[in-house]
Amino acid sequence: MKFQVSIAKLKQCLLLLFLFSIPSSLFPEKIITAKEDEPDAYFGLKLGAIITPTFGYRLRDSSNGLSDTAPNDRTGFSMPWTLIMLSKEWEEKDLMMEVWGEVSRNSSLSDSTAVDGGNKSNPYILQIRRANLQKKWQLGDLQTRLIFGIQELPHVYTQWQEYWHFRYIDRAPLEILGFAPAAADFGLSSVFQYSFLQFYVGLMNGEGYKNIQNTDSSGLDIYTRLSLETKTEGYRGGLHFIARFANAVGTSGNECREGKSSCLADDGNLQTQLEKDLRATKSESAAVELDFVSEQTFHMGMGGMVRRRHGGQTYDRLDLTALPRYEQDLYGKAAYAWIDFSLGAFTLGYKFETGTGNNGRLWVFNSAEDGIFHFLNPANARYRSKQRFRRHLGFLEYLYDESVRLAISYSEVGNYDTKGEPQKVYIQTQTGELSTESAYLQQFTTRTPAGIVAYLDRTDRQLFFKASLNF
């Protein structure tokens, strides 16, 4: 009997112990994983973000009836420069990892959305902009850094060094001119720093971080940058030489066969099987930029870029006795400059870009004898006759504090035709739709005019209201 009582009391004790343990299981004590008086950087982990709500409005030209406003990141409400940044550093091993996410519209990755005439949705998505591992070495006064993964390309280096530090207002000049397909890419690079000299060399996929699987070519791009930078109290400056060799290595022999890639389109003729030599997949771009910064007063910079895209010969693999068709090399050039002044919390700035091309992006044209060596020769009338653009950007920024900025900006792009005259707009008066120059000229040779009229100016004007929040 005494033994049974003891067993009963033991069961009661166990039951009470279980009941008292439930609260501690449901609401366990907080595990301290960080020192409350130390920042995240103390543990080598950094988390940040950039948010840039934007409203863009296209100023329509009622005088010529041009009112088409295809939806894109330049009009309406958008988030064109929104990043989530995570990095982890192991100081004892000189290792660092970066993972950055970027918010983009799906139309930037797919051509089947409503923006591009498709039927798929066009939501905002989070894509990877940076995902890399970095290793540092220190050999005396020489610092070396090896980077493997998705990383920024050297033509946006001056942007991240805050020579052009208004990325939320407008992209850096070399980025907007199209020095490379994208601002970041997947590859392997190394940076060498000695005193005021810095040298960068990298091997990249070539398609950019939004398309990194060698879908266009198996070739790899080579990038180089040489920077000379100096800094004194309150002032700093830099001179940068940047080059890109597209598809420099790795291209395969069948990439330029008809219909196999963008190198050579299918002509629809079943009696031929065209192929172009691999030289046609290559191009070289070179740029130079000079920057100067007064930390409290103003920023300024100027630069230029040139590009040569190789031509090549195209022959019919089904008829090797036929003479091949030869294409000459194509050349393009661009120049830019910017300056801004600060007074208290306000900054007033201006940026100018011009070059061969259209709508603010550099193109290449047939002009073999002009080439890169005539870049500084303004008297070269043959080169000047090519289609070109001029772009102006003005902005006023208010610095609310170090992490919050507000700005209003105005952008204007003017295009000029092959005769050096403002690019004309051709409009069908009955429908209001855009037409072509050939249709406009054809109506003068028929008895029934098509009602197409020409206007002398097609200038794209944009007004922006922007905010930038960093943390």
Side-chain angles (χ1 to χ4, degrees):
M1 186 67 181
K2 293 182 178 180
F3 178 77
Q4 292 178 350
V5 173
S6 300
I7 294 295
K9 290 184 178 181
L10 179 61
K11 289 181 178 180
Q12 292 177 358
C13 291
L14 291 174
L15 179 61
L16 291 174
L17 181 63
F18 173 74
L19 292 175
F20 279 113
S21 67
I22 289 178
S24 62
S25 301
L26 294 178
F27 308 99
E29 183 181 358
K30 181 180 178 181
I31 299 176
I32 304 299
T33 59
K35 295 182 179 180
E36 295 184 357
D37 57 345
E38 296 287 355
D40 290 341
Y42 179 85
F43 301 93
L45 182 65
K46 297 180 181 179
L47 178 65
I50 300 175
I51 303 175
T52 58
T54 297
F55 177 76
Y57 179 74
R58 180 175 183 178
L59 303 178
R60 304 182 182 187
D61 193 343
S62 58
S63 64
N64 63 22
L66 184 63
S67 61
D68 58 320
T69 55
N72 53 54
D73 273 346
R74 301 182 62 197
T75 58
F77 292 100
S78 61
M79 302 285 283
W81 180 239
T82 298
L83 300 174
I84 300 174
M85 302 171 290
L86 175 67
S87 65
K88 167 68 176 177
E89 187 171 0
W90 295 268
E91 294 183 359
E92 68 280 2
K93 297 182 179 180
D94 287 327
L95 286 174
M96 186 177 75
M97 176 198 69
E98 284 186 323
V99 179
W100 287 21
E102 181 180 25
V103 176
S104 299
R105 284 185 175 178
N106 194 39
S107 58
S108 66
L109 304 179
S110 172
D111 59 0
S112 59
T113 66
V115 172
D116 307 288
N119 54 13
K120 292 185 178 180
S121 61
N122 181 34
Y124 279 101
I125 59 176
L126 184 66
Q127 64 187 54
I128 300 299
R129 182 184 175 101
R130 289 191 192 183
N132 61 72
L133 181 66
Q134 303 182 21
K135 169 65 177 176
K136 299 179 182 179
W137 289 275
Q138 183 79 34
L139 302 174
D141 294 333
L142 177 64
Q143 300 177 16
T144 305
R145 181 159 48 105
L146 188 68
I147 311 172
F148 179 61
I150 304 177
Q151 56 193 278
E152 300 292 318
L153 296 176
H155 66 290
V156 295
Y157 168 77
T158 56
Q159 166 187 298
W160 292 108
Q161 294 300 109
E162 294 190 343
Y163 290 114
W164 170 257
H165 67 145
F166 305 100
R167 176 58 179 80
Y168 78 102
I169 297 177
D170 198 51
R171 289 176 292 171
L174 289 177
E175 181 183 359
I176 203 169
L177 288 170
F179 184 87
D185 204 351
F186 192 102
L188 178 68
S189 67
S190 188
V191 183
F192 304 91
Q193 177 82 45
Y194 181 80
S195 184
F196 62 91
L197 295 175
Q198 186 180 100
F199 178 71
Y200 167 100
V201 60
L203 185 66
M204 303 293 163
N205 264 353
E207 285 87 355
Y209 67 103
K210 296 180 181 179
N211 186 11
I212 63 176
Q213 300 303 320
N214 291 328
T215 56
D216 189 56
S217 170
S218 62
L220 301 175
D221 294 358
I222 296 177
Y223 287 87
T224 62
R225 173 180 55 83
L226 176 64
S227 296
L228 295 80
E229 295 181 289
T230 182
K231 183 177 182 180
T232 59
E233 185 176 354
Y235 300 92
R236 58 190 177 92
L239 178 62
H240 315 276
F241 302 91
I242 309 166
R244 172 178 180 251
F245 304 89
N247 288 321
V249 296
T251 52
S252 60
N254 61 350
E255 288 190 12
C256 258
R257 291 182 181 177
E258 181 181 5
K260 296 294 184 180
S261 69
S262 60
C263 176
L264 188 61
D266 191 345
D267 63 357
N269 186 356
L270 299 178
Q271 305 300 318
T272 64
Q273 189 174 4
L274 302 180
E275 184 170 345
K276 185 183 289 187
D277 59 23
L278 292 179
R279 185 179 187 275
T281 67
K282 303 179 184 299
S283 68
E284 294 96 27
S285 302
V288 59
E289 182 173 308
L290 176 65
D291 305 293
F292 181 76
V293 173
S294 172
E295 302 290 353
Q296 303 297 328
T297 308
F298 71 95
H299 296 66
M300 64 175 296
M302 63 184 68
M305 65 172 288
V306 291
R307 173 173 297 155
R308 179 179 71 166
R309 192 174 71 194
H310 292 205
Q313 61 179 8
T314 303
Y315 61 91
D316 185 2
R317 300 179 73 245
L318 299 181
D319 185 6
L320 298 179
T321 62
L323 293 175
R325 182 176 72 248
Y326 292 92
E327 298 177 359
Q328 64 180 356
D329 293 352
L330 306 178
Y331 295 88
K333 64 178 180 178
Y336 57 89
W338 77 81
I339 189 168
D340 66 83
F341 295 92
S342 298
L343 181 61
F346 291 91
T347 298
L348 183 65
Y350 170 76
K351 186 174 72 161
F352 173 74
E353 297 153 347
T354 184
T356 58
N358 193 267
N359 292 328
R361 197 167 183 88
L362 181 141
W363 289 358
V364 291
F365 296 96
N366 293 320
S367 190
E369 67 273 22
D370 294 336
I372 293 177
F373 300 101
H374 291 265
F375 173 64
L376 298 177
N377 184 4
N380 194 326
R382 179 179 175 85
Y383 208 117
R384 289 171 56 199
S385 67
K386 302 304 176 184
Q387 188 175 358
R388 68 187 189 277
F389 65 88
R390 294 174 184 169
R391 183 171 185 266
H392 305 269
L393 173 75
F395 64 89
L396 176 64
E397 179 190 64
Y398 172 67
L399 184 64
Y400 182 79
D401 61 29
E402 291 299 326
S403 60
V404 179
R405 298 180 177 187
L406 305 172
I408 180 173
S409 65
Y410 171 78
S411 172
E412 180 176 299
V413 182
N415 298 306
Y416 300 83
D417 60 21
T418 56
K419 299 178 183 179
E421 300 175 352
Q423 190 181 74
K424 297 181 178 62
V425 179
Y426 301 94
I427 297 179
Q428 167 59 254
T429 56
Q430 295 179 347
T431 63
E433 299 292 331
L434 291 175
S435 186
T436 62
E437 183 181 9
S438 60
Y440 170 76
L441 296 176
Q442 187 178 3
Q443 67 182 349
F444 296 106
T445 61
T446 63
R447 296 183 179 181
T448 56
I452 301 175
V453 295
Y455 296 92
L456 294 179
D457 184 18
R458 185 180 182 178
T459 302
D460 185 34
R461 300 176 177 90
Q462 303 277 344
L463 187 65
F464 301 96
F465 301 90
K466 293 176 177 282
S468 177
L469 299 90
N470 305 332
F471 69 87

